[in-house]
Amino acid sequence: MYDRLLLPTDMSPGIDQAIDHAIDAAQRYDAELHVLYVVDAEAYSSYPGDEYVHEFEGLESALEQAGRDAVEDLTERAETSNVETNSIIRHGVPHEEILQYMDEADIGLTVVGSKNRSGEYRRLLGSVAERVANMAERPVTIVKTPVEE
C-alpha cells in the first residue's frame, strides 16, 4: 500500500512513540523510511547571535549537527529492524519543508509525533504536527506521546 514513509523529527520527547509506529509500518508495508529533520530557520533567525562571529553561523551549525545526530540515530534504529532508510536535512520553516518533501519524494504516509499537552497550550501555540495534518494532501498519522507538564 505504501512504498515510502516519512518520519519528520525535531528530537523532542513527543516523537518517541511515533518512531516505533513508523518503523512498524515500514516493516509491514516493506516500505522505505525517510527520516527528515528541518533546521528551523525561525529559531536561529530570531536569535541575536552575539557570541558568534558571523550572525547565525554558530547556532545554525549547532542545530544542523544536532539534527544530523538525531537522524543518524533514527536511521540506525530502523536499519536494525531491517528497514531501508533515507536521511534528509533541510533548512526552513518545519511544516512547510515537511509538506514540500512529502510531494517531492512521493511519500505515501507521514508519521508525525506530537506531545499530548493541554488544550490551552495548543490554542496558544499550535503545533507542526497539526499544521502538517491540516495542510497535507497525503495521508498523515499523528502519534501522541504523553509528556510531563
Side-chain angles (χ1 to χ4, degrees):
M1 182 171 211
Y2 302 113
D3 294 329
R4 285 170 294 287
L5 303 178
L6 175 62
L7 175 64
T9 181
D10 64 357
M11 305 176 316
S12 72
I15 192 167
D16 295 345
Q17 292 180 10
I19 296 166
D20 295 335
H21 189 88
I23 291 172
D24 181 65
Q27 288 174 318
R28 289 175 188 261
Y29 293 115
D30 193 26
E32 182 179 56
L33 180 62
H34 295 231
V35 181
L36 169 66
Y37 177 83
V38 179
V39 179
D40 189 347
E42 293 175 344
Y44 63 80
S45 65
S46 64
Y47 187 76
D50 295 338
E51 66 244 28
Y52 299 112
V53 175
H54 184 267
E55 216 171 297
F56 315 123
E57 184 178 274
L59 181 58
E60 179 182 7
S61 177
L63 289 171
E64 183 170 334
Q65 185 57 52
R68 287 192 189 287
D69 293 344
V71 166
E72 184 178 311
D73 288 346
L74 293 180
T75 55
E76 285 176 10
R77 187 168 161 186
E79 287 171 353
T80 62
S81 299
N82 296 319
V83 171
E84 184 180 342
T85 62
N86 189 2
S87 303
I88 307 95
I89 304 289
R90 291 212 168 175
H91 292 250
V93 178
H95 75 277
E96 292 173 0
E97 292 297 325
I98 293 166
L99 291 165
Q100 183 177 351
Y101 186 80
M102 289 167 69
D103 289 337
E104 287 174 9
D106 195 25
I107 297 296
L109 174 66
T110 299
V111 178
V112 292
S114 178
K115 298 173 203 76
N116 197 7
R117 296 200 188 250
S118 69
E120 182 149 330
Y121 176 89
R122 288 274 182 230
R123 282 193 300 277
L124 291 173
L125 298 177
S127 77
V128 170
E130 288 174 330
R131 288 185 193 116
V132 169
N134 288 331
M135 298 171 79
E137 295 179 3
R138 297 169 179 271
V140 175
T141 296
I142 298 177
V143 180
K144 292 188 176 190
T145 298
V147 293
E148 298 289 322
E149 295 285 329

